[in-house]
Amino acid sequence: MSDTVVAAGQFTVTLIHPLWNGGTPTAIAGFRMEGQMVQTQQLMDSSKIIALANGDTITITNNNDAGTLTFNVVKTSDAGDMVKIANYLRRVGDSVGGVISISQEVNGVSQTTTFNVCTVKSVPPLNIQGNDASDYQVVWNYANSSNDDDTESEG
């Protein structure tokens, strides 16, 4: 039996973007302790099966790595306010893209995934909620990603 230990909230999100903070790495803030903080989604399925009239199939695969990153955050007064950053980049018309790195400690080992050519897909200009901080779902597109432990398996 193998146990996994992940400390809640012990992760970092860093944005490096030439149009924000002069390209200096910015630690993103505003994540709630409860609930899903980050979700990634492939843009395109990695495999497709085409059924033929005679009962055979053709399988097509690809290695397209593009996708979306969704961050569930609240506004903060911190320099790493994702809502403020995303609204700014949307307004100025980003034609460059940035890099977002997400690191998390699992079983005492840091694991980092890096997303490249990141551009803002959508960000609400304003959310207002009663007796709580408003949640903002900020979505970024990315062209490709890599993990610090990416290795080819030999077989």
Side-chain angles (χ1 to χ4, degrees), residues 17 28-29 72-73 87 92 97 100 104 109 124 130 138 150:
H17 198 294
I28 301 301
N72 296 305
V73 295
N87 271 307
V92 299
I100 296 176
Q104 182 178 25
V109 177
V138 181
D150 277 350

Side-chain angles (χ1 to χ4, degrees), residues 64-118:
N64 187 312
D65 193 30
T68 59
L69 271 165
T70 301
F71 295 95
N72 296 305
V73 295
V74 298
K75 282 186 173 184
T76 70
S77 60
D78 192 89
D81 179 350
M82 166 116 10
V83 177
K84 180 179 179 180
I85 294 168
N87 271 307
Y88 171 79
L89 291 172
R90 180 185 52 78
R91 278 193 310 272
V92 299
D94 180 8
S95 64
V96 181
V99 174
I100 296 176
S101 293
I102 302 173
S103 298
Q104 182 178 25
E105 295 270 334
V106 178
N107 289 335
V109 177
S110 179
Q111 298 175 346
T112 302
T113 303
T114 302
F115 300 88
N116 299 296
V117 195
C118 297

Side-chain angles (χ1 to χ4, degrees), residues 47-67:
S47 176
K48 177 180 180 177
I49 297 176
I50 300 168
L52 302 177
N54 68 355
D56 290 344
T57 60
I58 298 172
T59 301
I60 300 172
T61 63
N62 69 71
N63 62 354
N64 187 312
D65 193 30

